[in-house]
Amino acid sequence: MIYVIGIGPGSKEMMTLEAINAMEDADVIVGYKTYINLITEFIEGKEVVQNGMRQEIDRCKNAVEIAKTGKKVAVISSGDAGIYGMAGLILELVSKEKEDIKVKIVPGVTASIGAAAILGAPIMHDFCHISLSDLLTPWEVIEKRLRLAAEADFVVCLYNPRSKGRSEHLAKAFKIMGEFKDGSTPVGIVKDVGREKQEKFVCTFDSMDFERVDMTTMVIIGNKSTFIHEDQMITPRGYTV
Ligand code: SAH
């Protein structure tokens, strides 16, 4: 049995009861060490298998092997496991196995939803998630999605916006979307959602400060109707008020 658990963006308050119950039910916890550190209180006394970033395939293969021994395994993802998390990889691996291994995906609060609540109501209308990481996706595909999402006036939530190795991706993304997004379009930046160092900034597309953004940041770019009120970002649903 494998639980694939989204633990939310960081704080205990943003974990679902189902996630907590699944962690408590598991015999073995598998995950990236930063996330394991966020859930220590729920996994006391349990066997823990942790490894570093970019070892996702090994980690998930390991989880499948442990499940085959009859133990209940919990694979931990931050946010939601089905959004740039481990859910897909686990299901792909299990689909190749002859043995019948049960998998339960436990949903979590993804970073965009956590950030949106902190910013106000920026994703009240149609929106999309785009990851700026080209580790698993060719950059040309990312560019095309950015351009078309901006042209279609989606609210855009950027995951993996800026890392040390890819510090220029965010500026490039803004240049591409700038063809269709007005300079006055509101942009919300939330760092470390649900964690101790949580910080929020609201600015406009033209006044965007890329330096504020790192790898645990969510960037939300509004649509043509989004406006800023005090320090909140609001995208009208269309009601007449
Ligand atoms: N499965 C995760 C996403 C993993 S991809 C989820 O559903 O949230 C990693 C990216 O998610 C980061 O680069 C960042 O853009 C975003 N992210 C994850 N946790 C975050 C947090 N606590 N605060 C802000 N952004 C976060």
Side-chain angles (χ1 to χ4, degrees), residues 132 139 143 146-147 150 158 168-181 205-206 208 210 221:
L132 298 190
W139 179 251
E143 284 198 353
L146 288 165
R147 189 174 307 111
L158 297 177
E168 77 299 350
H169 278 193
L170 184 61
K172 275 193 195 165
F174 267 64
K175 192 151 185 276
I176 292 161
M177 288 188 289
E179 200 186 325
F180 301 102
K181 293 278 180 197
F205 196 86
D206 267 358
M208 174 72 185
F210 303 116
I221 300 138

Side-chain angles (χ1 to χ4, degrees), residues 134-155:
D134 61 353
L135 290 176
L136 299 169
T137 307
W139 179 251
E140 306 75 68
V141 172
I142 298 171
E143 284 198 353
K144 184 173 182 186
R145 289 182 183 161
L146 288 165
R147 189 174 307 111
L148 295 178
E151 181 175 11
D153 200 30
F154 280 104
V155 173

Side-chain angles (χ1 to χ4, degrees), residues 9 78-80 83-84 110-111 159-161 192-193 195 215-217:
S78 77
D80 181 77
I83 298 181
Y84 313 119
T110 190
Y159 282 71
N160 299 300
D192 294 298
V193 174
R195 301 187 190 171
M215 268 317 258
T216 46
T217 307

Side-chain angles (χ1 to χ4, degrees), residues 108-132:
V109 175
T110 190
S112 65
I113 305 298
I118 293 159
L119 290 164
I123 53 180
M124 278 300 294
H125 214 287
D126 300 338
F127 71 100
C128 66
H129 285 166
I130 300 180
S131 165
L132 298 190

